[in-house]
């Protein structure tokens, strides 16, 4: 028996035939369609034309953001809302291309519009790592909420039966969030990951709730006015217009392009809502939304899936901020990311990179369990730009200086002395609060096109680091750029994959250091707190890895430690807070006694100073490949370990002395240089 194929006509450039794995879905074929007999070949041809590779992603690849705009959404919606008499169906956007091998399935469940193009700004990014399918509900369709649940549930069960070890992602936007929660409640045994953008579970508290009787009594002539008001409640037109503004433009050029975007967008936005949600459809959708919210609320206790809630701070349609807090407190496995300056149509606004949010919360996986190496996706060029923009003022204020040591011992201002290929272990001093991390990572990406994988405290990856209104930066960016929980197995696997590993033997004790004496300003800046065990040296030798010691100075010019750990522990309410926050966290170095073994996490009280300058010096690489047999001996490995520690202390002393010769150490001198030469120019420094 022939299997009918669900796809859209050629007039819609945003959708294509589903891949063969979807052909079990019972959806009718529309008349007048192209590529009837192509089946999966059309998908493979699209991927070939786009030049996509299915065996992995390159470092700093193009994530595809900025390719489409809200105007593209309205153009495509105009084509897709034409009555066709068809039922709800799935479609795959052409712009998603073909994902890399082993990619999980992502089902997009739309909001009240039902078009299914709410991810249009994210198609290219998601399409590289997900098999994306979007639900389309025709405007004339009157399938009940329960009917939609059955339709989605059938697809979920079929896909789970075909790939039982793969997760299935449900991305629900507003009304779609209620659908996703309901599906998860009905299928607790299926591995589902829910991403909910301003879910409409709080419909009773929505500004829409009083509209139900009003909309029904509205004359048709006034429906356009209602659509006009609705268009400005749903989203922020300025942020929608900014979504297609080119990055890197000057302020005047940005303003000009935004003005032109708004001039064409706003009239289309108003008219588009009137077409997408005519009076009868809007009345039906509001009633359906009420049913969806009621069903999701009554079944919330049965949701066992991982859930990520994206909440807007300026949602004029729903109380999304409070809803996110309620879900975070109610669900067993829930994370929240809060976007305080965005409106209800979060996924259609500028500055939202959905794939980055998924990656930053460690929710991208291809199997039942997350693997920090095999499931890791490298950062995109867009993520690097966003990270640079987030750190822009810090980098301008500190003007980091990078030195490295060549084979002949000469010190140069660049990273030329560091090997181009791994495995490499960068071993160094951890400044207070890890101030040196972001500039170091950016420098390796910029100069050597190398991703440095940091070994971080497990607390960063635990539930303890989560909060009900957590914003993306900075912890999520630490994960985006490769940080892993500290463990011998993770270091082992990184070295076996020839990676660049960033290691701080001093750990939390060094990064959260104390004062030398209580109640005086002098602190433990530039003191190393290393344990006695040389494990990383022996592990490096096992893989023939190159060890590069480095020192960094500058924290004493930027921060003043006010209350350290000991002083906080002497204050009763602070002591209780520290003890409570450290309950249940993974303890490191439990076999080490004394202050080095004290890994209590706390937040030092600090006061910022007028920014000084950051200086880094990477020492001469130590090649263990030539000394593998020698390093097997514990005493010889310990001698190398002490040598590395001594070299780092010497490099710190060297930088502290040489920075006195830097004519641009002061922020005023650097500000004048930037004003004269531009912020992109490298500020001069001392001669090494």
């Amino acid at each position: 028996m022939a299997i009918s194929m669900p796809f859209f006509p050629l007039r819609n450039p945003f959708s294509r035939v589903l891949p063969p794995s979807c052909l079990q879905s019972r959806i009718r074929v529309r008349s007048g369609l192209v590529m009837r007999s192509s089946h999966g070949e059309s998908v493979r041809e699209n991927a070939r034309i786009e030049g996509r590779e299915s065996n992995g992603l390159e470092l700093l690849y193009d994530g595809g953001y900025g390719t489409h705009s809200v105007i593209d959404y309205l153009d495509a919606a105009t084509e897709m809302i034409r009555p066709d008499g068809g039922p709800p169906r799935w479609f795959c956007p052409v712009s998603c291309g073909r994902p890399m091998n082993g990619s999980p399935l992502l089902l997009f469940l739309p909001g009240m519009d039902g078009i299914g193009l709410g991810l249009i700004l994210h198609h290219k990014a998601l399409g590289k790592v997900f098999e994306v399918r979007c639900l389309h509900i025709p405007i004339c369709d009157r399938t009940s909420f329960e009917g939609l649940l059955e339709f989605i549930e059938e697809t979920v069960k079929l896909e789970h039966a075909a790939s039982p070890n793969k997760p299935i992602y449900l991305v629900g936007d507003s009304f779609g969030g209620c659908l996703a929660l309901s599906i998860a409640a009905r299928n607790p045994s299926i591995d589902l990951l829910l991403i909910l953008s301003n879910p409409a579970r709080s419909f009773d508290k929505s500004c829409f709730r009083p509209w139900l009787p009003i909309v029904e009594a509205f004359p048709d002539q006034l429906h356009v006015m209602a659509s006009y008001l609705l268009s400005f409640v749903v989203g922020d037109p300025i942020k929608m217009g900014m979504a297609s503004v080119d990055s890197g433009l000057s302020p005047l050029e940005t303003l000009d392009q935004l003005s032109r975007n708004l001039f064409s967008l706003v009239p289309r936005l108003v008219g588009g809502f009137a077409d997408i949600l005519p009076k009868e459809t809007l009345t039906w959708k509001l009633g359906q939304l009420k049913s969806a919210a009621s069903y999701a609320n009554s079944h919330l206790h049965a949701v066992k899936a991982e859930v990520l809630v994206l909440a807007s701070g300026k949602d004029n349609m729903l109380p999304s901020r409070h809803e996110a807090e309620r879900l975070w407190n109610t669900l067993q496995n829930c994370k929240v990311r809060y976007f305080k300056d965005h409106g209800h149509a979060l996924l259609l606004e500028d500055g939202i990179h959905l794939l980055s949010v998924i990656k930053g919360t460690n929710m991208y996986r291809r199997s039942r369990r997350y693997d920090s190496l095999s499931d890791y996706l490298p950062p995109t060029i867009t993520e690097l730009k966003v990270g640079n923009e987030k750190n822009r003022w810090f980098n301008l204020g500190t003007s980091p200086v990078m030195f490295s040591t060549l084979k002949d011992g000469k010190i140069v201002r660049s990273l030329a002395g560091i090997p181009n290929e791994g495995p490499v272990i960068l071993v160094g001093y951890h400044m207070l609060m890890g101030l040196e991390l972001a500039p170091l990572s950016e420098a390796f990406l910029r100069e050597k096109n190398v991703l440095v994988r940091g070994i971080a405290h497990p607390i960063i990856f635990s539930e303890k680091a989560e909060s009900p209104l957590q914003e993306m930066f900075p912890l999520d960016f630490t994960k985006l750029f490769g940080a892993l929980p500290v463990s011998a197995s993770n270091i082992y696997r990184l070295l076996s994959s020839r990676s660049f590993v960033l290691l701080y033997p001093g750990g939390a004790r060094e990064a959260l250091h104390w004062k030398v004496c209580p109640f005086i300003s002098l602190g433990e800046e530039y003191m190393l707190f290393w344990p006695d065990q040389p494990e990383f040296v022996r592990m490096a030798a096992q893989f023939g890895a190159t060890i590069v010691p480095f020192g960094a100075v500058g924290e004493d010019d930027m921060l003043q430690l006010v209350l350290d750990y000991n002083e906080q522990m002497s204050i009763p309410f602070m002591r209780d807070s520290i003890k409570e926050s450290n309950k249940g966290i993974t303890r490191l170095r439990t076999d080490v006694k004394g202050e080095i073994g004290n890994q209590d996490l706390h937040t030092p009280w600090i006061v910022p100073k007028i920014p000084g300058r950051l200086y880094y010096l990477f020492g001469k690489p130590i090649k263990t490949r030539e000394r593998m047999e020698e390093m097997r001996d514990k005493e010889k490995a310990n001698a190398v370990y002490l040598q590395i520690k001594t070299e780092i202390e010497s490099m710190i002393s060297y930088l502290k002395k040489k920075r006195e010769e830097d004519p641009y150490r002061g922020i005023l001198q650097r500000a004048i240089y930037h004003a004269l030469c531009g912020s992109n120019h490298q500020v001069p420094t001392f001669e090494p």
Side-chain angles (χ1 to χ4, degrees):
M1 181 177 67
I3 303 177
S4 60
M5 299 179 62
F7 51 86
F8 280 102
L10 187 61
R11 72 186 184 203
N12 180 3
F14 293 95
S15 59
R16 60 162 163 80
V17 62
L18 288 173
S21 62
C22 308
L23 297 183
Q24 294 171 331
S25 299
R26 294 182 294 182
I27 309 174
R28 294 184 181 180
V29 187
R30 296 175 55 185
S31 60
L33 303 180
V34 298
M35 300 185 293
R36 256 182 218 282
S37 59
S38 298
H39 294 253
E41 296 301 322
S42 61
V43 181
R44 288 189 285 273
E45 181 64 14
N46 285 334
R48 187 190 66 78
I49 292 173
E50 293 177 12
R52 289 294 314 280
E53 297 291 339
S54 59
N55 57 352
L57 299 169
E58 295 181 356
L59 180 63
L60 300 181
Y61 68 95
D62 181 9
Y65 284 106
T67 305
H68 294 125
S69 67
V70 179
I71 293 178
D72 293 320
Y73 163 81
L74 294 171
D75 287 341
T78 301
E79 297 291 337
M80 295 176 68
I81 62 176
R82 296 180 183 179
D84 57 25
R89 74 212 67 175
W90 299 106
F91 70 92
C92 294
V94 171
S95 54
C96 287
R98 192 176 82 176
M100 61 183 181
N101 288 341
S103 295
L105 174 67
L106 184 150
L107 301 177
F108 175 62
L109 311 179
M112 281 208 335
D113 66 304
I115 301 298
L117 288 171
L119 291 180
I120 193 167
L121 304 187
H122 312 271
H123 281 170
K124 284 205 169 182
L126 295 174
K128 295 177 187 291
V129 296
F130 287 105
E131 181 187 332
V132 179
R133 296 186 214 163
C134 304
L135 177 64
H136 173 67
I137 307 171
I139 62 171
C140 295
D141 180 74
R142 295 297 180 260
T143 302
S144 66
F145 174 72
E146 290 76 11
L148 290 176
L149 282 184
E150 292 174 2
F151 173 74
I152 299 167
E153 188 174 44
E154 181 181 16
T155 302
V156 167
K157 288 181 175 179
L158 284 170
E159 292 298 330
H160 175 67
S163 302
N165 294 320
K166 276 189 181 182
I168 298 174
Y169 286 74
L170 300 180
V171 178
D173 183 16
S174 189
F175 168 70
C178 294
L179 285 170
L181 285 168
S182 303
I183 293 295
R186 291 160 63 115
N187 299 275
S189 62
I190 296 180
D191 186 12
L192 298 174
L193 288 94
L194 275 54
I195 300 166
L196 313 177
S197 176
N198 295 322
R201 200 176 68 93
S202 297
F203 175 71
D204 285 343
K205 300 177 182 178
S206 166
C207 68
F208 261 165
R209 185 69 178 85
W211 282 34
L212 274 172
I214 298 174
V215 169
E216 294 176 358
F218 242 35
D220 293 341
Q221 295 84 350
L222 295 180
H223 180 70
V224 175
M225 183 184 297
S227 300
Y228 176 83
L229 297 174
L230 178 62
S231 65
F232 285 94
V233 171
V234 167
D236 184 341
I238 293 179
K239 289 194 179 295
M240 289 181 176
M242 280 295 296
S244 56
V245 173
D246 298 332
S247 60
L249 297 178
S250 67
L252 285 177
E253 291 172 325
T254 299
L255 181 60
D256 177 64
Q257 189 169 345
L258 175 60
S259 300
R260 287 188 277 111
N261 287 352
L262 290 176
F263 183 76
S264 59
L265 172 63
V266 173
R268 301 278 303 281
L269 199 60
V270 175
F273 270 99
D275 293 335
I276 293 171
L277 293 172
K279 179 184 173 183
E280 296 79 8
T281 300
L282 181 58
T283 304
W284 169 262
K285 295 281 188 181
L286 288 173
Q288 197 176 48
L289 186 56
K290 180 182 178 181
S291 300
S294 176
Y295 189 98
N297 286 328
S298 62
H299 291 79
L300 199 62
H301 64 279
V303 176
K304 309 298 181 186
E306 290 183 59
V307 179
L308 172 61
V309 181
L310 313 182
S312 296
K314 295 182 179 179
D315 189 342
N316 296 318
M317 183 178 292
L318 295 167
S320 294
R321 179 178 183 270
H322 300 294
E323 175 61 18
E325 292 180 281
R326 284 193 290 269
L327 287 173
W328 190 79
N329 288 315
T330 303
L331 298 176
Q332 298 177 5
N333 193 357
C334 181
K335 298 177 182 178
V336 174
R337 290 301 176 266
Y338 182 55
F339 303 90
K340 61 181 179 181
D341 297 322
H342 289 267
H344 183 73
L346 186 66
L347 300 176
L348 290 174
E349 294 185 358
D350 177 57
I352 305 298
H353 304 121
L354 181 57
L355 181 58
S356 299
V357 179
I358 296 171
K359 291 161 59 177
T361 51
N362 282 351
M363 287 190 68
Y364 181 81
R365 54 184 173 86
R366 301 179 182 90
S367 58
R368 284 194 169 273
R369 296 188 63 182
Y370 173 76
D371 187 286
S372 55
L373 263 70
S374 63
D375 287 328
Y376 177 71
L377 301 175
T380 66
I381 188 65
T382 300
E383 289 163 351
L384 178 61
K385 290 178 180 178
V386 171
N388 287 341
E389 185 61 29
K390 294 282 188 181
N391 291 315
R392 181 168 178 263
W393 292 111
F394 180 80
N395 290 337
L396 278 176
T398 59
S399 299
V401 181
M402 301 281 170
F403 295 102
S404 64
T405 308
L406 302 179
K407 292 180 180 179
D408 59 4
K410 181 181 178 181
I411 298 176
V412 295
R413 186 181 179 180
S414 70
L415 299 179
I418 297 173
N420 294 319
E421 296 182 355
V424 171
I425 302 182
L426 305 174
V427 183
Y429 163 72
H430 216 354
M431 284 190 187
L432 184 65
M433 306 297 289
L435 286 174
E436 79 289 350
L437 285 170
L440 186 152
S441 178
E442 291 172 15
F444 272 81
L445 283 168
R446 183 178 62 252
E447 291 191 35
K448 303 189 77 68
N449 195 35
V450 164
L451 179 66
V452 176
R453 305 293 302 271
I455 302 298
H457 197 285
I459 186 66
I460 294 176
F461 308 88
S462 72
E463 293 181 1
K464 284 279 187 178
E466 295 293 331
S467 68
L469 291 176
Q470 183 168 321
E471 299 184 39
M472 257 201 88
F473 195 79
L475 288 184
D476 288 357
F477 271 79
T478 302
K479 302 169 193 172
L480 271 177
F481 286 88
L484 287 83
V486 59
S487 71
S489 62
N490 278 341
I491 298 175
Y492 183 95
R493 295 175 66 198
L494 285 172
L495 294 177
S496 64
S497 62
R498 305 182 64 82
S499 300
F500 279 63
V501 182
L502 178 61
L503 182 64
Y504 293 105
R509 176 63 182 87
E510 199 168 273
L512 304 174
H513 49 248
W514 309 339
K515 297 179 181 179
V516 174
C517 296
F519 306 109
I520 64 172
S521 59
L522 184 64
E524 295 174 333
E525 299 93 0
Y526 312 126
M527 294 176 62
L528 271 61
F529 293 89
W530 287 20
D532 296 330
Q533 297 87 353
E535 286 92 350
F536 77 84
V537 176
R538 302 176 72 184
M539 190 174 292
Q542 184 176 350
F543 291 95
T546 301
I547 300 174
V548 181
F550 73 92
V553 303
E555 74 166 78
D556 54 337
D557 279 350
M558 289 183 285
L559 299 177
Q560 179 66 56
L561 185 58
V562 178
L563 282 180
D564 71 353
Y565 172 77
N566 292 317
E567 291 168 335
Q568 291 185 42
M569 290 296 284
S570 67
I571 302 172
F573 77 91
M574 287 189 175
R575 179 177 62 247
D576 294 341
S577 177
I578 292 174
K579 287 183 177 180
E580 181 64 29
S581 64
N582 278 270
K583 285 182 179 178
I585 68 171
T586 302
R587 288 283 177 176
L588 304 176
R589 294 177 178 165
T590 54
D591 57 336
V592 179
K593 297 182 179 180
E595 62 178 10
I596 293 178
N598 184 356
Q599 296 283 333
D600 272 353
L601 300 180
H602 65 288
T603 303
W605 284 35
I606 54 178
V607 174
K609 297 181 180 180
I610 296 176
R613 199 170 189 185
L614 283 174
Y615 303 86
Y616 301 75
L617 174 57
F618 294 87
K620 189 175 180 180
I622 301 172
K623 296 184 177 181
T624 64
R625 186 177 299 277
E626 302 163 359
R627 307 167 62 180
M628 293 178 69
E629 292 299 324
E630 177 186 348
M631 297 285 190
R632 293 176 188 267
D633 183 87
K634 188 172 182 178
E635 291 186 3
K636 292 181 179 179
N638 191 58
V640 175
Y641 179 80
L642 294 176
Q643 173 197 342
I644 293 170
K645 183 179 179 182
T646 302
E647 285 188 17
I648 292 173
E649 292 172 334
S650 299
M651 285 186 280
I652 290 174
S653 299
Y654 171 86
L655 289 174
K656 289 173 66 177
K657 181 180 178 181
K658 292 291 290 184
R659 70 178 176 177
E660 301 293 337
E661 304 173 12
D662 185 359
Y664 294 94
R665 181 182 175 186
I667 190 171
L668 179 60
Q669 291 83 354
R670 297 199 303 276
I672 293 173
Y673 184 88
H674 282 311
L676 294 174
C677 302
S679 59
N680 292 327
H681 280 72
Q682 196 175 61
V683 181
T685 187
F686 60 81
E687 287 295 325

